[in-house]
Amino acid sequence: MMQFLALQHYLAVGAIMFVIGLVGFITRRNLIVMFLCTELMFQGVLINLVAFSRYNGNLAGQAFVIFVLVIAASEASLALGLVVLLFRQKNTLDADAWRDLKW
Amino acid sequence: MLGAGSTLQAVADTGSTNYLIEPMVILLLCAAGGVATVLLLPGPKQSPKLGGALLAVAGLVLGLIVLRFTAGPAKSDIGPYFWIFSVIALCGAVRVVTHPRPVYSALYFVLTVLASAGLFILLYAEFMAAALVLIYAGAILITYVFVIMLAASAQNPGDRSPLAGLAECDTVSREPFHAACVGFAMMGVLLFVIFDKAELIPPPSPEPAGATVMPEEEVHGSTQSIGQYLFQNQMVNLELAGLILTVSMVGAIVIARRKVSGIDERFEPTSETISATATPVNDDPHSIPVYGTTNPRQKSFPEH
């Protein structure tokens, strides 16, 4: 019988978390919650990366996690600045208020 | 490994195929999860109890099916912790998506981050766990909560309904059915690929992953190994990461300081405006009248 936690266990957790974040990003209309859902997708990817790093026996995955954290931090600061700016213009956080932004 | 895999298939699978999990089972579980998510999402069709029960049943079935692979006398004792952390992380993630109040979403996201840090520790990535808690739960989420509070609309204190004070964009979700279809179809495909005919991949050895990089007598944990790996192999990338952080900091300050035309003039009067006649600040008859003060005990001035 199998007696170990396989790589597939961690990959499944990461995939489910990514999909939950994706569904939230599509359905929620609050701009802040939408960005929170992108962070949730980041979490799923990070679990995958660390699991690959462990099961491959090298450190490339963990180094990648550091860079993903850097990008997430800068994305959060820029995006939240933009959200504050958008909120001051229309006085709502509804993403549908910006429907007229078409190509 | 091969023998164990074939034993597992002989025990578990019914057909002649050698899937780890039957595709129909994955499909059914994903459909149940999608329906439950539609019921849980805020909106007119919301019924949290039924949705939560359905989601719990689907998750329990999936968990039991996956748990089958780890059955038997456990060689490693991290199995229960994996299940606990996974359940906490996934339940927190569902609540992040389905909670109508953004502050609670952010707090549930902290819960998810802490549980994933636990998973990282199980994967011998202690430094990653600490960095995750510090950066995500400590820094990014505080920023989120501040922005949520800055952008909150005024709440009517008399309203006692559960959705009191929430904007319409928080209480009605956009296209929950289609989103659940897309998302859970993707989940089905991902889980099918993960649990396809592949073998279960065992962890390499009880040692941390860093042990393969360094000679064994110099290893003090994976943190030191990561530091040496970063500064020996990823030097340029590390400097670029610092540059990106600096640029985004400057950019965030520039964006946040920008004046929005037509909005700020409303709140801040451009010059000093006099709204009332000058009144003395107290009852002393020799005090100098000051603009913009009102003295409640003041006798009414004689009109000119």
PDB file of all heavy atoms in Angstrom, chain A residues 48-85:
ATOM      1  N   ASN A  48       2.059  24.913  -5.604  1.00  0.00           N
ATOM      2  CA  ASN A  48       2.621  24.064  -6.662  1.00  0.00           C
ATOM      3  C   ASN A  48       4.130  24.205  -6.736  1.00  0.00           C
ATOM      4  O   ASN A  48       4.851  23.210  -6.837  1.00  0.00           O
ATOM      5  CB  ASN A  48       2.014  24.455  -8.004  1.00  0.00           C
ATOM      6  CG  ASN A  48       0.751  23.713  -8.294  1.00  0.00           C
ATOM      7  OD1 ASN A  48       0.207  23.092  -7.408  1.00  0.00           O
ATOM      8  ND2 ASN A  48       0.299  23.786  -9.506  1.00  0.00           N
ATOM      9  N   LEU A  49       4.617  25.457  -6.690  1.00  0.00           N
ATOM     10  CA  LEU A  49       6.056  25.681  -6.870  1.00  0.00           C
ATOM     11  C   LEU A  49       6.859  25.045  -5.739  1.00  0.00           C
ATOM     12  O   LEU A  49       7.870  24.383  -5.980  1.00  0.00           O
ATOM     13  CB  LEU A  49       6.344  27.180  -6.943  1.00  0.00           C
ATOM     14  CG  LEU A  49       5.966  27.859  -8.243  1.00  0.00           C
ATOM     15  CD1 LEU A  49       6.171  29.346  -8.128  1.00  0.00           C
ATOM     16  CD2 LEU A  49       6.806  27.310  -9.365  1.00  0.00           C
ATOM     17  N   VAL A  50       6.386  25.238  -4.513  1.00  0.00           N
ATOM     18  CA  VAL A  50       7.131  24.679  -3.387  1.00  0.00           C
ATOM     19  C   VAL A  50       7.084  23.155  -3.424  1.00  0.00           C
ATOM     20  O   VAL A  50       8.076  22.479  -3.131  1.00  0.00           O
ATOM     21  CB  VAL A  50       6.584  25.236  -2.064  1.00  0.00           C
ATOM     22  CG1 VAL A  50       7.269  24.589  -0.894  1.00  0.00           C
ATOM     23  CG2 VAL A  50       6.820  26.716  -2.009  1.00  0.00           C
ATOM     24  N   ALA A  51       5.933  22.602  -3.836  1.00  0.00           N
ATOM     25  CA  ALA A  51       5.844  21.141  -3.906  1.00  0.00           C
ATOM     26  C   ALA A  51       6.799  20.600  -4.968  1.00  0.00           C
ATOM     27  O   ALA A  51       7.482  19.591  -4.748  1.00  0.00           O
ATOM     28  CB  ALA A  51       4.412  20.721  -4.215  1.00  0.00           C
ATOM     29  N   PHE A  52       6.868  21.277  -6.114  1.00  0.00           N
ATOM     30  CA  PHE A  52       7.811  20.835  -7.149  1.00  0.00           C
ATOM     31  C   PHE A  52       9.238  20.929  -6.641  1.00  0.00           C
ATOM     32  O   PHE A  52      10.065  20.049  -6.908  1.00  0.00           O
ATOM     33  CB  PHE A  52       7.663  21.681  -8.399  1.00  0.00           C
ATOM     34  CG  PHE A  52       6.538  21.247  -9.283  1.00  0.00           C
ATOM     35  CD1 PHE A  52       5.620  22.157  -9.755  1.00  0.00           C
ATOM     36  CD2 PHE A  52       6.396  19.922  -9.637  1.00  0.00           C
ATOM     37  CE1 PHE A  52       4.586  21.763 -10.564  1.00  0.00           C
ATOM     38  CE2 PHE A  52       5.365  19.516 -10.447  1.00  0.00           C
ATOM     39  CZ  PHE A  52       4.452  20.438 -10.908  1.00  0.00           C
ATOM     40  N   SER A  53       9.537  22.016  -5.905  1.00  0.00           N
ATOM     41  CA  SER A  53      10.881  22.172  -5.376  1.00  0.00           C
ATOM     42  C   SER A  53      11.237  21.017  -4.449  1.00  0.00           C
ATOM     43  O   SER A  53      12.340  20.469  -4.511  1.00  0.00           O
ATOM     44  CB  SER A  53      10.970  23.501  -4.629  1.00  0.00           C
ATOM     45  OG  SER A  53      12.107  23.540  -3.833  1.00  0.00           O
ATOM     46  N   ARG A  54      10.284  20.616  -3.621  1.00  0.00           N
ATOM     47  CA  ARG A  54      10.557  19.528  -2.669  1.00  0.00           C
ATOM     48  C   ARG A  54      10.726  18.194  -3.397  1.00  0.00           C
ATOM     49  O   ARG A  54      11.650  17.443  -3.119  1.00  0.00           O
ATOM     50  CB  ARG A  54       9.405  19.445  -1.683  1.00  0.00           C
ATOM     51  CG  ARG A  54       9.330  18.156  -0.898  1.00  0.00           C
ATOM     52  CD  ARG A  54      10.052  18.274   0.399  1.00  0.00           C
ATOM     53  NE  ARG A  54       9.858  17.070   1.202  1.00  0.00           N
ATOM     54  CZ  ARG A  54      10.812  16.174   1.404  1.00  0.00           C
ATOM     55  NH1 ARG A  54      11.991  16.341   0.885  1.00  0.00           N
ATOM     56  NH2 ARG A  54      10.571  15.118   2.146  1.00  0.00           N
ATOM     57  N   TYR A  55       9.830  17.924  -4.336  1.00  0.00           N
ATOM     58  CA  TYR A  55       9.851  16.597  -4.945  1.00  0.00           C
ATOM     59  C   TYR A  55      10.897  16.487  -6.035  1.00  0.00           C
ATOM     60  O   TYR A  55      11.219  15.388  -6.469  1.00  0.00           O
ATOM     61  CB  TYR A  55       8.463  16.239  -5.480  1.00  0.00           C
ATOM     62  CG  TYR A  55       7.509  15.883  -4.370  1.00  0.00           C
ATOM     63  CD1 TYR A  55       6.909  16.857  -3.603  1.00  0.00           C
ATOM     64  CD2 TYR A  55       7.254  14.555  -4.061  1.00  0.00           C
ATOM     65  CE1 TYR A  55       6.069  16.544  -2.572  1.00  0.00           C
ATOM     66  CE2 TYR A  55       6.400  14.228  -3.029  1.00  0.00           C
ATOM     67  CZ  TYR A  55       5.820  15.234  -2.299  1.00  0.00           C
ATOM     68  OH  TYR A  55       4.994  14.908  -1.255  1.00  0.00           O
ATOM     69  N   ASN A  56      11.408  17.630  -6.534  1.00  0.00           N
ATOM     70  CA  ASN A  56      12.524  17.563  -7.474  1.00  0.00           C
ATOM     71  C   ASN A  56      13.862  17.534  -6.760  1.00  0.00           C
ATOM     72  O   ASN A  56      14.864  17.190  -7.351  1.00  0.00           O
ATOM     73  CB  ASN A  56      12.516  18.771  -8.408  1.00  0.00           C
ATOM     74  CG  ASN A  56      11.768  18.483  -9.676  1.00  0.00           C
ATOM     75  OD1 ASN A  56      11.672  17.336 -10.090  1.00  0.00           O
ATOM     76  ND2 ASN A  56      11.238  19.511 -10.297  1.00  0.00           N
ATOM     77  N   GLY A  57      13.888  17.952  -5.511  1.00  0.00           N
ATOM     78  CA  GLY A  57      15.130  17.943  -4.780  1.00  0.00           C
ATOM     79  C   GLY A  57      16.066  19.085  -5.120  1.00  0.00           C
ATOM     80  O   GLY A  57      17.253  19.003  -4.882  1.00  0.00           O
ATOM     81  N   ASN A  58      15.557  20.185  -5.681  1.00  0.00           N
ATOM     82  CA  ASN A  58      16.413  21.353  -5.857  1.00  0.00           C
ATOM     83  C   ASN A  58      15.687  22.596  -5.351  1.00  0.00           C
ATOM     84  O   ASN A  58      14.543  22.521  -4.900  1.00  0.00           O
ATOM     85  CB  ASN A  58      16.844  21.528  -7.308  1.00  0.00           C
ATOM     86  CG  ASN A  58      15.676  21.762  -8.219  1.00  0.00           C
ATOM     87  OD1 ASN A  58      14.629  22.198  -7.797  1.00  0.00           O
ATOM     88  ND2 ASN A  58      15.863  21.454  -9.485  1.00  0.00           N
ATOM     89  N   LEU A  59      16.366  23.734  -5.443  1.00  0.00           N
ATOM     90  CA  LEU A  59      15.837  24.937  -4.808  1.00  0.00           C
ATOM     91  C   LEU A  59      15.249  25.932  -5.795  1.00  0.00           C
ATOM     92  O   LEU A  59      14.890  27.033  -5.408  1.00  0.00           O
ATOM     93  CB  LEU A  59      16.948  25.626  -4.010  1.00  0.00           C
ATOM     94  CG  LEU A  59      17.357  24.903  -2.745  1.00  0.00           C
ATOM     95  CD1 LEU A  59      18.561  25.555  -2.149  1.00  0.00           C
ATOM     96  CD2 LEU A  59      16.215  24.923  -1.771  1.00  0.00           C
ATOM     97  N   ALA A  60      15.164  25.563  -7.058  1.00  0.00           N
ATOM     98  CA  ALA A  60      14.694  26.532  -8.049  1.00  0.00           C
ATOM     99  C   ALA A  60      13.259  26.960  -7.749  1.00  0.00           C
ATOM    100  O   ALA A  60      12.911  28.133  -7.894  1.00  0.00           O
ATOM    101  CB  ALA A  60      14.793  25.931  -9.451  1.00  0.00           C
ATOM    102  N   GLY A  61      12.432  26.023  -7.317  1.00  0.00           N
ATOM    103  CA  GLY A  61      11.048  26.372  -7.033  1.00  0.00           C
ATOM    104  C   GLY A  61      10.937  27.382  -5.910  1.00  0.00           C
ATOM    105  O   GLY A  61      10.164  28.339  -5.990  1.00  0.00           O
ATOM    106  N   GLN A  62      11.736  27.197  -4.856  1.00  0.00           N
ATOM    107  CA  GLN A  62      11.643  28.144  -3.739  1.00  0.00           C
ATOM    108  C   GLN A  62      12.175  29.510  -4.128  1.00  0.00           C
ATOM    109  O   GLN A  62      11.640  30.541  -3.693  1.00  0.00           O
ATOM    110  CB  GLN A  62      12.391  27.592  -2.539  1.00  0.00           C
ATOM    111  CG  GLN A  62      11.790  26.297  -2.058  1.00  0.00           C
ATOM    112  CD  GLN A  62      12.300  25.912  -0.697  1.00  0.00           C
ATOM    113  OE1 GLN A  62      12.623  26.763   0.097  1.00  0.00           O
ATOM    114  NE2 GLN A  62      12.362  24.622  -0.440  1.00  0.00           N
ATOM    115  N   ALA A  63      13.222  29.548  -4.973  1.00  0.00           N
ATOM    116  CA  ALA A  63      13.688  30.848  -5.456  1.00  0.00           C
ATOM    117  C   ALA A  63      12.602  31.525  -6.274  1.00  0.00           C
ATOM    118  O   ALA A  63      12.377  32.740  -6.161  1.00  0.00           O
ATOM    119  CB  ALA A  63      14.947  30.673  -6.288  1.00  0.00           C
ATOM    120  N   PHE A  64      11.884  30.723  -7.053  1.00  0.00           N
ATOM    121  CA  PHE A  64      10.781  31.281  -7.842  1.00  0.00           C
ATOM    122  C   PHE A  64       9.708  31.851  -6.929  1.00  0.00           C
ATOM    123  O   PHE A  64       9.115  32.895  -7.225  1.00  0.00           O
ATOM    124  CB  PHE A  64      10.201  30.181  -8.725  1.00  0.00           C
ATOM    125  CG  PHE A  64       9.717  30.665 -10.042  1.00  0.00           C
ATOM    126  CD1 PHE A  64      10.344  30.258 -11.206  1.00  0.00           C
ATOM    127  CD2 PHE A  64       8.646  31.528 -10.127  1.00  0.00           C
ATOM    128  CE1 PHE A  64       9.913  30.713 -12.414  1.00  0.00           C
ATOM    129  CE2 PHE A  64       8.201  31.983 -11.337  1.00  0.00           C
ATOM    130  CZ  PHE A  64       8.838  31.568 -12.488  1.00  0.00           C
ATOM    131  N   VAL A  65       9.476  31.202  -5.794  1.00  0.00           N
ATOM    132  CA  VAL A  65       8.470  31.712  -4.851  1.00  0.00           C
ATOM    133  C   VAL A  65       8.845  33.105  -4.381  1.00  0.00           C
ATOM    134  O   VAL A  65       7.988  33.987  -4.267  1.00  0.00           O
ATOM    135  CB  VAL A  65       8.326  30.752  -3.661  1.00  0.00           C
ATOM    136  CG1 VAL A  65       7.497  31.379  -2.573  1.00  0.00           C
ATOM    137  CG2 VAL A  65       7.674  29.479  -4.112  1.00  0.00           C
ATOM    138  N   ILE A  66      10.149  33.324  -4.140  1.00  0.00           N
ATOM    139  CA  ILE A  66      10.561  34.658  -3.693  1.00  0.00           C
ATOM    140  C   ILE A  66      10.233  35.701  -4.750  1.00  0.00           C
ATOM    141  O   ILE A  66       9.689  36.770  -4.448  1.00  0.00           O
ATOM    142  CB  ILE A  66      12.061  34.646  -3.367  1.00  0.00           C
ATOM    143  CG1 ILE A  66      12.273  33.873  -2.076  1.00  0.00           C
ATOM    144  CG2 ILE A  66      12.589  36.057  -3.225  1.00  0.00           C
ATOM    145  CD1 ILE A  66      13.669  33.901  -1.582  1.00  0.00           C
ATOM    146  N   PHE A  67      10.509  35.381  -6.006  1.00  0.00           N
ATOM    147  CA  PHE A  67      10.231  36.362  -7.048  1.00  0.00           C
ATOM    148  C   PHE A  67       8.735  36.571  -7.229  1.00  0.00           C
ATOM    149  O   PHE A  67       8.281  37.694  -7.479  1.00  0.00           O
ATOM    150  CB  PHE A  67      10.889  35.945  -8.359  1.00  0.00           C
ATOM    151  CG  PHE A  67      12.380  35.904  -8.248  1.00  0.00           C
ATOM    152  CD1 PHE A  67      13.089  34.766  -8.546  1.00  0.00           C
ATOM    153  CD2 PHE A  67      13.071  37.007  -7.793  1.00  0.00           C
ATOM    154  CE1 PHE A  67      14.452  34.727  -8.411  1.00  0.00           C
ATOM    155  CE2 PHE A  67      14.428  36.976  -7.644  1.00  0.00           C
ATOM    156  CZ  PHE A  67      15.126  35.837  -7.963  1.00  0.00           C
ATOM    157  N   VAL A  68       7.956  35.496  -7.065  1.00  0.00           N
ATOM    158  CA  VAL A  68       6.501  35.672  -7.138  1.00  0.00           C
ATOM    159  C   VAL A  68       6.021  36.572  -6.011  1.00  0.00           C
ATOM    160  O   VAL A  68       5.143  37.425  -6.218  1.00  0.00           O
ATOM    161  CB  VAL A  68       5.802  34.300  -7.095  1.00  0.00           C
ATOM    162  CG1 VAL A  68       4.310  34.472  -6.943  1.00  0.00           C
ATOM    163  CG2 VAL A  68       6.085  33.538  -8.360  1.00  0.00           C
ATOM    164  N   LEU A  69       6.616  36.424  -4.821  1.00  0.00           N
ATOM    165  CA  LEU A  69       6.227  37.300  -3.709  1.00  0.00           C
ATOM    166  C   LEU A  69       6.556  38.756  -4.023  1.00  0.00           C
ATOM    167  O   LEU A  69       5.776  39.661  -3.721  1.00  0.00           O
ATOM    168  CB  LEU A  69       6.927  36.873  -2.421  1.00  0.00           C
ATOM    169  CG  LEU A  69       6.351  35.668  -1.690  1.00  0.00           C
ATOM    170  CD1 LEU A  69       7.149  35.404  -0.446  1.00  0.00           C
ATOM    171  CD2 LEU A  69       4.919  35.915  -1.339  1.00  0.00           C
ATOM    172  N   VAL A  70       7.724  38.981  -4.646  1.00  0.00           N
ATOM    173  CA  VAL A  70       8.098  40.351  -5.012  1.00  0.00           C
ATOM    174  C   VAL A  70       7.077  40.935  -5.979  1.00  0.00           C
ATOM    175  O   VAL A  70       6.572  42.057  -5.786  1.00  0.00           O
ATOM    176  CB  VAL A  70       9.505  40.352  -5.650  1.00  0.00           C
ATOM    177  CG1 VAL A  70       9.773  41.666  -6.325  1.00  0.00           C
ATOM    178  CG2 VAL A  70      10.547  40.086  -4.602  1.00  0.00           C
ATOM    179  N   ILE A  71       6.733  40.156  -6.993  1.00  0.00           N
ATOM    180  CA  ILE A  71       5.774  40.665  -7.973  1.00  0.00           C
ATOM    181  C   ILE A  71       4.416  40.885  -7.319  1.00  0.00           C
ATOM    182  O   ILE A  71       3.726  41.875  -7.596  1.00  0.00           O
ATOM    183  CB  ILE A  71       5.663  39.677  -9.152  1.00  0.00           C
ATOM    184  CG1 ILE A  71       7.003  39.569  -9.858  1.00  0.00           C
ATOM    185  CG2 ILE A  71       4.622  40.134 -10.137  1.00  0.00           C
ATOM    186  CD1 ILE A  71       7.505  40.861 -10.395  1.00  0.00           C
ATOM    187  N   ALA A  72       4.021  39.987  -6.415  1.00  0.00           N
ATOM    188  CA  ALA A  72       2.724  40.144  -5.760  1.00  0.00           C
ATOM    189  C   ALA A  72       2.695  41.407  -4.911  1.00  0.00           C
ATOM    190  O   ALA A  72       1.699  42.129  -4.896  1.00  0.00           O
ATOM    191  CB  ALA A  72       2.423  38.920  -4.900  1.00  0.00           C
ATOM    192  N   ALA A  73       3.795  41.675  -4.212  1.00  0.00           N
ATOM    193  CA  ALA A  73       3.816  42.867  -3.365  1.00  0.00           C
ATOM    194  C   ALA A  73       3.720  44.134  -4.209  1.00  0.00           C
ATOM    195  O   ALA A  73       2.922  45.032  -3.925  1.00  0.00           O
ATOM    196  CB  ALA A  73       5.093  42.881  -2.527  1.00  0.00           C
ATOM    197  N   SER A  74       4.510  44.202  -5.299  1.00  0.00           N
ATOM    198  CA  SER A  74       4.460  45.420  -6.107  1.00  0.00           C
ATOM    199  C   SER A  74       3.120  45.542  -6.816  1.00  0.00           C
ATOM    200  O   SER A  74       2.567  46.643  -6.933  1.00  0.00           O
ATOM    201  CB  SER A  74       5.612  45.444  -7.101  1.00  0.00           C
ATOM    202  OG  SER A  74       5.721  44.226  -7.755  1.00  0.00           O
ATOM    203  N   GLU A  75       2.563  44.407  -7.248  1.00  0.00           N
ATOM    204  CA  GLU A  75       1.251  44.452  -7.896  1.00  0.00           C
ATOM    205  C   GLU A  75       0.191  44.940  -6.918  1.00  0.00           C
ATOM    206  O   GLU A  75      -0.671  45.751  -7.278  1.00  0.00           O
ATOM    207  CB  GLU A  75       0.905  43.057  -8.409  1.00  0.00           C
ATOM    208  CG  GLU A  75      -0.491  42.885  -8.925  1.00  0.00           C
ATOM    209  CD  GLU A  75      -1.332  42.014  -8.032  1.00  0.00           C
ATOM    210  OE1 GLU A  75      -0.744  41.235  -7.260  1.00  0.00           O
ATOM    211  OE2 GLU A  75      -2.557  42.135  -8.094  1.00  0.00           O
ATOM    212  N   ALA A  76       0.261  44.469  -5.674  1.00  0.00           N
ATOM    213  CA  ALA A  76      -0.744  44.886  -4.703  1.00  0.00           C
ATOM    214  C   ALA A  76      -0.658  46.384  -4.442  1.00  0.00           C
ATOM    215  O   ALA A  76      -1.679  47.076  -4.411  1.00  0.00           O
ATOM    216  CB  ALA A  76      -0.569  44.108  -3.402  1.00  0.00           C
ATOM    217  N   SER A  77       0.577  46.909  -4.289  1.00  0.00           N
ATOM    218  CA  SER A  77       0.677  48.336  -3.991  1.00  0.00           C
ATOM    219  C   SER A  77       0.171  49.170  -5.157  1.00  0.00           C
ATOM    220  O   SER A  77      -0.616  50.106  -4.975  1.00  0.00           O
ATOM    221  CB  SER A  77       2.123  48.688  -3.652  1.00  0.00           C
ATOM    222  OG  SER A  77       2.939  48.484  -4.764  1.00  0.00           O
ATOM    223  N   LEU A  78       0.586  48.812  -6.384  1.00  0.00           N
ATOM    224  CA  LEU A  78       0.141  49.601  -7.544  1.00  0.00           C
ATOM    225  C   LEU A  78      -1.368  49.473  -7.742  1.00  0.00           C
ATOM    226  O   LEU A  78      -2.078  50.466  -7.967  1.00  0.00           O
ATOM    227  CB  LEU A  78       0.872  49.124  -8.787  1.00  0.00           C
ATOM    228  CG  LEU A  78       2.308  49.601  -8.906  1.00  0.00           C
ATOM    229  CD1 LEU A  78       2.944  49.020 -10.127  1.00  0.00           C
ATOM    230  CD2 LEU A  78       2.345  51.098  -8.970  1.00  0.00           C
ATOM    231  N   ALA A  79      -1.883  48.249  -7.638  1.00  0.00           N
ATOM    232  CA  ALA A  79      -3.294  48.038  -7.905  1.00  0.00           C
ATOM    233  C   ALA A  79      -4.157  48.735  -6.863  1.00  0.00           C
ATOM    234  O   ALA A  79      -5.187  49.321  -7.204  1.00  0.00           O
ATOM    235  CB  ALA A  79      -3.594  46.544  -7.925  1.00  0.00           C
ATOM    236  N   LEU A  80      -3.713  48.714  -5.609  1.00  0.00           N
ATOM    237  CA  LEU A  80      -4.536  49.366  -4.594  1.00  0.00           C
ATOM    238  C   LEU A  80      -4.489  50.880  -4.754  1.00  0.00           C
ATOM    239  O   LEU A  80      -5.493  51.556  -4.519  1.00  0.00           O
ATOM    240  CB  LEU A  80      -4.083  48.936  -3.204  1.00  0.00           C
ATOM    241  CG  LEU A  80      -4.452  47.486  -2.923  1.00  0.00           C
ATOM    242  CD1 LEU A  80      -3.923  47.051  -1.599  1.00  0.00           C
ATOM    243  CD2 LEU A  80      -5.942  47.308  -2.969  1.00  0.00           C
ATOM    244  N   GLY A  81      -3.337  51.426  -5.182  1.00  0.00           N
ATOM    245  CA  GLY A  81      -3.305  52.849  -5.501  1.00  0.00           C
ATOM    246  C   GLY A  81      -4.281  53.195  -6.602  1.00  0.00           C
ATOM    247  O   GLY A  81      -5.024  54.184  -6.518  1.00  0.00           O
ATOM    248  N   LEU A  82      -4.320  52.340  -7.629  1.00  0.00           N
ATOM    249  CA  LEU A  82      -5.260  52.582  -8.722  1.00  0.00           C
ATOM    250  C   LEU A  82      -6.703  52.463  -8.247  1.00  0.00           C
ATOM    251  O   LEU A  82      -7.572  53.241  -8.670  1.00  0.00           O
ATOM    252  CB  LEU A  82      -5.006  51.577  -9.846  1.00  0.00           C
ATOM    253  CG  LEU A  82      -3.824  51.909 -10.729  1.00  0.00           C
ATOM    254  CD1 LEU A  82      -3.581  50.780 -11.704  1.00  0.00           C
ATOM    255  CD2 LEU A  82      -4.087  53.181 -11.485  1.00  0.00           C
ATOM    256  N   VAL A  83      -6.961  51.491  -7.354  1.00  0.00           N
ATOM    257  CA  VAL A  83      -8.327  51.323  -6.856  1.00  0.00           C
ATOM    258  C   VAL A  83      -8.773  52.561  -6.089  1.00  0.00           C
ATOM    259  O   VAL A  83      -9.900  53.042  -6.245  1.00  0.00           O
ATOM    260  CB  VAL A  83      -8.412  50.062  -5.974  1.00  0.00           C
ATOM    261  CG1 VAL A  83      -9.684  50.062  -5.158  1.00  0.00           C
ATOM    262  CG2 VAL A  83      -8.379  48.827  -6.831  1.00  0.00           C
ATOM    263  N   VAL A  84      -7.862  53.099  -5.272  1.00  0.00           N
ATOM    264  CA  VAL A  84      -8.214  54.317  -4.532  1.00  0.00           C
ATOM    265  C   VAL A  84      -8.515  55.457  -5.505  1.00  0.00           C
ATOM    266  O   VAL A  84      -9.482  56.215  -5.339  1.00  0.00           O
ATOM    267  CB  VAL A  84      -7.070  54.687  -3.570  1.00  0.00           C
ATOM    268  CG1 VAL A  84      -7.291  56.059  -2.991  1.00  0.00           C
ATOM    269  CG2 VAL A  84      -6.993  53.684  -2.458  1.00  0.00           C
ATOM    270  N   LEU A  85      -7.721  55.552  -6.564  1.00  0.00           N
ATOM    271  CA  LEU A  85      -7.933  56.602  -7.569  1.00  0.00           C
ATOM    272  C   LEU A  85      -9.288  56.425  -8.249  1.00  0.00           C
ATOM    273  O   LEU A  85     -10.060  57.389  -8.401  1.00  0.00           O
ATOM    274  CB  LEU A  85      -6.811  56.520  -8.596  1.00  0.00           C
ATOM    275  CG  LEU A  85      -6.468  57.787  -9.335  1.00  0.00           C
ATOM    276  CD1 LEU A  85      -5.923  58.788  -8.370  1.00  0.00           C
ATOM    277  CD2 LEU A  85      -5.469  57.483 -10.414  1.00  0.00           C
TER     278      LEU A  85
END
